Amino acid sequence: AIKDNDKSGLWTLDVADKAFSFSRDPKQIIKDTKTLSFSDSNFEWAPDSKNVLSTLQEEGKKEEAFTRNFLLNTDQLNNEHLSDITPTIQNIKKGWVDDKELKNKEQFNHVDNAGKTLAEKAEITWSPDETKFIAINKEKRIIYDTKVKKSFPLPEAIHYVWYPDSKHVILVKQSTISISEADGTNEMVIYNGNFDQNVVFPWLPNGDKLVIAATFNTTISKYPNLYTINLKP
């Protein structure tokens, strides 16, 4: 979201490595208008990453009377094709949930009963190649390998992030970031210091860097910046 005269609105930036990338510049997908301030809106990605849902709220009125929702195509400037989808927003979000549940059900079609039992009442995160999943609940933090049909305990961490090769897991802890094998062994600390535990992810697609958000000099700015940690020599 940018608020700067004629640049005000919502922008996207493609950060994925691609064989053919003709333009890596930010792309504006919606401009602020006289009546709609998209730069002040709440926004979220649709599950397919092809659209952004922008929700605008007008101050001084009851929420049900002033909320507006716009589904924006990330491949174009949307100002000429704006349509308030608020009357159908609940159906759209329900469709997103249904699609996610259907995909999750399809993923478990090839999982044996032991794996399904481990996944019950747990938060599941599938590996990029969809051959393993992390299952987390109050009692356990495990990885289940659907190919070898075995489970492996994970070290304690605040968050777990899959590495792009599906063979390693990034362990986000209070003041450190580690990486381990997909069976929870060979844990190695790759960063120790100040960072935002909610912003840690690999640079796709090869994962040769890790992106973090951190504030190293509070005298210059109290807001964090994005930094990369090189994972390969």
Side-chain angles (χ1 to χ4, degrees):
I2 295 178
K3 205 171 185 65
D4 181 18
N5 299 322
D6 60 335
K7 294 182 179 179
S8 295
L10 297 182
W11 296 67
T12 61
L13 176 63
D14 188 351
V15 297
D17 291 333
K18 296 180 179 178
F20 301 99
S21 183
F22 299 103
S23 176
R24 300 301 293 273
D25 296 328
K27 179 192 299 182
Q28 190 167 22
I29 61 172
I30 192 71
K31 293 181 178 180
D32 283 1
T33 69
K34 292 181 179 180
T35 58
L36 299 172
S37 180
F38 290 95
S39 56
D40 293 320
S41 69
N42 296 319
F43 48 89
E44 61 179 303
W45 286 98
D48 62 5
S49 298
K50 296 178 180 179
N51 296 280
V52 171
L53 175 63
S54 174
T55 302
L56 292 82
Q57 295 183 337
E58 187 178 325
E59 295 181 0
K61 297 182 180 179
K62 293 182 180 180
E63 184 174 351
E64 61 268 24
F66 68 85
T67 300
R68 295 182 178 182
N69 295 277
F70 298 90
L71 198 59
L72 309 175
N73 188 327
T74 58
D75 291 329
Q76 65 184 41
L77 187 63
N78 290 264
N79 284 75
E80 294 182 1
H81 309 282
L82 277 180
S83 178
D84 189 344
I85 62 167
T86 301
T88 60
I89 187 63
Q90 295 304 320
N91 289 335
I92 290 174
K93 287 193 171 183
K94 183 179 183 302
W96 291 353
V97 172
D98 291 344
D99 289 345
K100 183 177 181 180
E101 290 179 350
L102 178 61
K103 181 179 179 181
N104 187 59
K105 184 177 180 180
E106 291 173 345
Q107 287 173 317
F108 274 98
N109 283 341
H110 305 292
V111 177
D112 64 354
N113 290 333
K116 291 176 181 177
T117 300
L118 287 170
E120 288 181 358
K121 298 180 181 180
E123 179 184 344
I124 302 299
T125 306
W126 284 91
S127 62
D129 66 2
E130 299 186 353
T131 63
K132 309 175 186 72
F133 62 82
I134 296 173
I136 299 174
N137 63 21
K138 293 181 180 180
E139 293 80 26
K140 63 193 176 189
R141 285 163 172 76
I142 62 100
I143 284 181
Y144 189 78
D145 190 320
T146 63
K147 283 190 172 181
V148 300
K149 297 179 173 56
K150 290 182 64 177
S151 62
F152 306 93
L154 278 171
E156 287 286 332
I158 299 173
H159 300 299
Y160 301 91
V161 182
W162 279 105
Y163 194 68
D165 64 2
S166 297
K167 298 178 180 179
H168 298 83
V169 178
I170 299 163
L171 312 173
V172 181
K173 302 186 180 183
Q174 188 65 39
S175 59
T176 63
I177 301 172
S178 305
I179 189 166
S180 75
E181 303 284 346
D183 60 2
T185 62
N186 297 326
E187 181 181 356
M188 179 177 65
V189 176
I190 55 178
Y191 177 80
N192 189 340
N194 170 52
F195 70 100
D196 184 340
Q197 288 87 3
N198 294 309
V199 186
V200 178
F201 57 93
W203 187 276
L204 299 175
N206 52 19
D208 59 346
K209 300 180 183 68
L210 198 65
V211 181
I212 67 169
T215 304
F216 294 114
N217 191 337
T218 56
T219 60
I220 297 176
S221 174
K222 63 180 180 179
Y223 300 107
N225 289 313
L226 292 178
Y227 296 88
T228 57
I229 302 171
N230 192 10
L231 301 180
K232 294 184 178 180

